[in-house]
C-alpha cells in the first residue's frame, strides 16, 4: 500500500468522521423532540450537536469578514446554561452587556470557542453558584471584551501559568482551554489577560485594537 492509500488519521479524517457523529445525534434529538415531555432536553442536545458541527466545519476556516457579536455571545451563554443543566450544576446568573450592533472581525466559530471556554471555566470555579458577566464595547482604543465572575478568583501563584498548554488545577481536565482561547485571540490580532477583581472573582479581558 502506498502512503497515498493510507487511511487519513489526521485532523481532516477526524473532522470527516465527527460530521457523521453530530448528524446522528441531531437526528436522534429530532425524534426526541416529537415527544412534548422531552422537548427541552431535545433542544439542549440539538444545540450541543450544532455547536459541535460548527466546530468541526469551522476548524480550518479563515475569514476576514465581521459578525454580530451579540449573536455569538447569546449562543455561547445558552450553551453554558445547557451544560449546567445537563451536569446538574449550580444556579449561575449570566448577564450580558453587549454594545448594540457591535461587530467583530474573524471566524465566528473561533469566537464561540473563546467564549464557551471562558464561560465553562467560570461555571466550574463556582460549584455553589454565582454570577458571570460578559461585557463588550468599542472605544477609541478598540474593542474590549470582559468575562467576569464572582468565584474564588485565581491564586496569584498560578496566574502566570494558566494560559500554558496542559496546566490545570482540576483533577479530570486537560488544561488546554485557556491555551485555545489565547491562540484564537492572538490569531485575530488581539490580546487576552487574566486578573483577579478587587471585589472578588476572576476577570478575563480581551482587547482588539481598532486597526486589527
Ligand atoms: N474563572 C476562573 N476562576 C478560577 N480559576 C480559573 C478560572 N479560569 C481558569 N482558572 C484556572 O486556570 C486553569 C487553566 O484553565 P484551562 O481552561 O486552561 O484548563 P481547565 O479548565 O483546567 O481544563 P480544560 O479547559 O482543558 O477542560 C484552571 O484549571 C483553573 O485553575
Ligand atoms: Mg477550561
Amino acid at each position: 500500500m502506498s502512503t497515498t492509500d493510507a487511511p487519513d488519521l489526521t485532523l481532516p479524517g477526524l473532522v470527516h468522521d465527527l460530521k457523521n457523529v453530530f448528524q446522528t445525534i441531531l437526528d436522534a434529538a429530532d425524534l426526541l423532540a416529537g415527544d412534548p415531555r422531552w422537548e427541552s432536553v431535545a433542544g439542549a442536545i440539538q444545540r450541543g450537536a450544532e455547536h459541535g458541527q460548527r466546530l468541526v466545519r469551522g476548524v480550518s476556516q479563515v475569514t476576514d469578514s465581521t459578525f454580530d457579536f451579540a449573536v455569538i455571545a447569546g449562543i455561547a451563554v445558552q450553551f453554558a446554561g445547557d451544560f449546567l443543566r445537563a451536569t446538574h450544576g449550580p444556579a449561575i446568573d449570566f448577564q450580558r452587556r453587549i454594545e448594540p450592533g457591535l461587530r467583530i472581525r474573524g471566524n465566528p466559530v473561533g469566537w464561540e470557542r473563546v467564549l464557551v471556554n471562558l464561560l465553562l471555566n467560570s461555571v466550574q470555579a463556582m460549584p455553589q453558584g454565582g454570577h458571570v458577566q460578559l461585557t463588550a464595547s468599542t472605544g477609541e482604543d478598540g474593542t474590549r471584551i470582559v468575562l467576569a465572575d464572582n468565584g474564588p478568583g485565581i491564586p496569584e501563584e498560578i496566574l502566570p501559568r494558566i494560559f500554558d498548554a496542559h496546566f490545570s488545577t482540576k483533577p479530570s481536565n486537560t488544561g488546554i482551554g485557556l491555551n485555545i482561547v489565547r491562540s484564537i485571540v492572538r490569531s485575530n490580532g488581539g490580546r487576552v489577560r487574566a486578573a483577579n477583581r478587587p471585589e472578588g472573582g476572576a476577570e478575563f479581558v480581551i482587547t482588539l485594537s481598532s486597526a486589527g
Side-chain angles (χ1 to χ4, degrees), residues 117-126 132 147-155 158-159 161-181 194-196 201-204:
N117 270 296
L118 294 177
L119 287 164
L120 293 192
N121 276 349
S122 291
V123 163
Q124 288 165 354
M126 301 190 293
V132 180
L147 198 289
D149 65 46
N150 70 339
I154 305 164
I158 69 164
L159 258 177
R161 297 164 62 199
I162 57 170
F163 289 98
D164 293 352
H166 308 298
F167 177 83
S168 179
T169 56
K170 304 169 195 171
S172 47
N173 290 46
T174 54
I176 61 168
L178 285 178
N179 195 258
I180 293 171
V181 166
N196 286 309
E203 177 181 78
F204 288 81

Side-chain angles (χ1 to χ4, degrees), residues 3-129:
T3 47
T4 49
D5 296 328
D8 194 349
L9 300 178
T10 57
L11 189 61
L14 188 62
V15 164
H16 173 271
D17 290 353
L18 282 175
K19 280 185 186 158
N20 296 330
V21 172
F22 289 123
Q23 193 55 53
T24 306
I25 297 172
L26 267 181
D27 291 343
D30 259 355
L31 293 176
L32 204 60
D35 184 331
R37 287 173 304 168
W38 296 107
E39 216 179 311
S40 82
V41 174
I45 297 172
Q46 261 157 0
R47 286 189 292 273
E50 282 164 3
H51 176 61
Q53 278 186 325
R54 283 192 296 277
L55 293 195
V56 296
R57 281 190 197 131
V59 75
S60 54
Q61 243 170 38
V62 180
T63 160
D64 194 36
S65 49
T66 64
F67 63 90
D68 184 344
F69 187 72
V71 172
I72 295 302
I75 290 173
V77 167
Q78 171 97 62
F79 183 77
D82 287 339
F83 174 91
L84 268 174
R85 279 184 290 279
T87 55
H88 301 287
I92 306 265
D93 167 43
F94 295 102
Q95 288 175 6
R96 267 172 285 162
R97 282 196 196 149
I98 314 288
E99 182 187 299
L102 177 65
R103 298 192 71 83
I104 302 276
R105 190 167 297 283
N107 181 353
V109 178
W111 286 100
E112 189 175 339
R113 295 175 71 186
V114 166
L115 296 181
V116 166
N117 270 296
L118 294 177
L119 287 164
L120 293 192
N121 276 349
S122 291
V123 163
Q124 288 165 354
M126 301 190 293
Q128 311 303 325

